Amino acid sequence: MCGITAYTGKGRALPFLIQGLEKLEYRGYDSAGITLVDNKELVTIKTKGALNALKEQLSTLRLDQKAGIGHTRWATHGIPSNLNSHPHTNASNTLSIVHNGIIENYQSIKEGLAMQGYTFVSQTDSEVIVHLLDYYYQGDMKATLQKVMSYLEGSYALCVLNVDEPETIYVAKKESPMVLGMDESSAFCASDIPALISYTKDMISLEDHQMAVLRPGTIEIFDQQGQKVEPKIIHIPYDLEAAQKNGYDTFMEKEMHEQPYVIKETLRGRIENSIVMPELDSIDLHEYDHVYLIACGTAYHASLYAQYLGREWMDIPITCVPASEFRYGNYIVNDRSLCIFVSQSGETADTLAALKMCLEKNAMTIAVSNVLDSSLARLAHIPMYTCAGPEIAVASTKAYTTQLVLLAAMMVKLAQNSGYEVKDIDQFIYDLKQIPNLVKKTLEKKEIIEQYAKLLKDQRDAYFIGRQLDYVNVLEGALKLKEISYVHADAYYAGELKHGPIALIDQGTVVIALATQKEVAAKTISNIEETIARGANVILITAPGIHSEKIERQIKIEAVHPYLSGILVTVLLQLFAFYTAKEKDCNVDQPRNLAKSVTVE
Ligand code: M6R
């Protein structure tokens, strides 16, 4: 996820670009840059680091140009560095582009361009775009951009600046957002509404495969065939603060709703008919005696999920351990150990310390991180990334579900690399591809969850129960609830209730039960009935084909492979925690006593 701003008009472009980037920093903050154009000359200034680093460089310069493009980056290809920062320019410095999204076929385009003599200065996928434009450009940028769009696979929101038309900005979009606006003397665009809202409340949301041409005071929109189309104007009724949260009250709510998009981005280029993860091609599990999954908090729950899949598909010992325990436990680690570390931030102290320990013992290490070039990613032998974009709310939501999908794909890949047969693989892969859409449908169930959350209004405790894979999901559901609503929440194996916890169930106690795994659903339902007999208020989450007449509050997830049901359940439990916290008037984004990144032990 990155942030883009662009401006052309009668006034100075720079103030618009910077104010826009400030509002879009939530989309990325590992580097920033601008290109301005005037008198047939492009001036590009870009730097690694947060926007302040760029502002400091700009502070000593007088830049009066009337058109320009800007970018704030959240790296996905190529570490945060000056060279990888956007904008990217061609060799003759006549074209400049900013890009948000992922170009899936950039390697093959790069190879083709290299054969034509093009050289690349960055490690990014985006740089191919500017050279491709350069290759085809013969004076008609609209036609050139149209042609380039037809070659690009993946997602993009894209702005192009060209010295031949210093007052014109060309824009293209596919699967990454772009909004446009104008007044009598200028036209502008950005990745998101907050960057424009101080200038206009009437905006055009560019659609996939559309192109826009911005000139001072005019905007023209074209479809894929180059035909002019009538722009659809949308009126934004809210103010800047609400706009930064995309109209939601909190970042957590916004981030939950981003899940369909970021899951798609995380899987982009990773699933064809099988899993595409060349980083793992060399890993054959027969060369290892043990696989460890090591992480903290929510990332630990994602690791438990991977452990479950691994154990289903392979016969190698797989152990998942919280990093804070692993560090001090007597685990056998040596050069025949494969250690997988999972962390949104990639900076969690315990996870990092555990990784360093494993490296000292010559283990093979893989890091799954959401932050490109994080300490974890830098130290591990194989870094792998989720593409959740910056997560601002302390409670992890989109980072978790992107970890689930990436780890699911990874486990398939590791099993297949090592010659294990993955049962039902075609259905699993098919359903994995459907997950973004199914998560979208799950989010639509929020009204019913909001109703159920009222059950906890005057309760101090809640109990989550489930068996097998559902147990992983209850752990995460309980963590989310206690983290943001301060309701004491415990997660139990449903079969363990009788061995103690059932003593806690009383009139009105809230029990959230998961029964999505057909083989054990009936058993869990019996356990639920035992809690009802003691007065519990039960909320049951099941999958199609599983039902109990006796339970009043039930919600069904969409039909999906049972090993993927947890992703949909998680979304429901996120919503449940969210609405409970709202009901109790808690600060959802910044819960007490918690930090987003735990960099001390
Ligand atoms: O950045 P990490 O994924 O390493 O963070 C680990 C935990 O601190 C984190 O998942 C924490 O549990 C979340 N706040 C949960 O929502």
Side-chain angles (χ1 to χ4, degrees), residues 105-116 118-125 127-128 131-132:
N105 58 338
Y106 82 100
Q107 275 299 3
S108 58
I109 297 178
K110 198 168 176 174
E111 282 158 24
L113 286 167
M115 283 188 328
Q116 299 301 323
Y118 282 85
T119 52
F120 292 80
V121 294
S122 80
Q123 304 158 311
T124 65
D125 53 333
E127 194 188 349
V128 298
H131 296 307
L132 208 53

Side-chain angles (χ1 to χ4, degrees), residues 136-145 162 165 170:
Y136 285 115
Y137 181 63
Q138 285 180 338
D140 181 347
M141 183 50 76
K142 181 174 153 258
T144 309
L145 184 55
N162 173 12
E165 297 172 85
Y170 289 87

Side-chain angles (χ1 to χ4, degrees), residues 296-299 342-348 351 394-396 403 476 479-480 483 594-598:
C296 296
T298 286
V342 184
S343 169
Q344 185 282 130
S345 60
E347 305 296 342
T348 298
T351 315
V394 167
S396 189
Q403 282 165 356
E476 176 60 10
L479 174 67
K480 213 86 310 171
E483 189 176 21
L594 295 176
K596 184 68 190 160
S597 193
V598 185

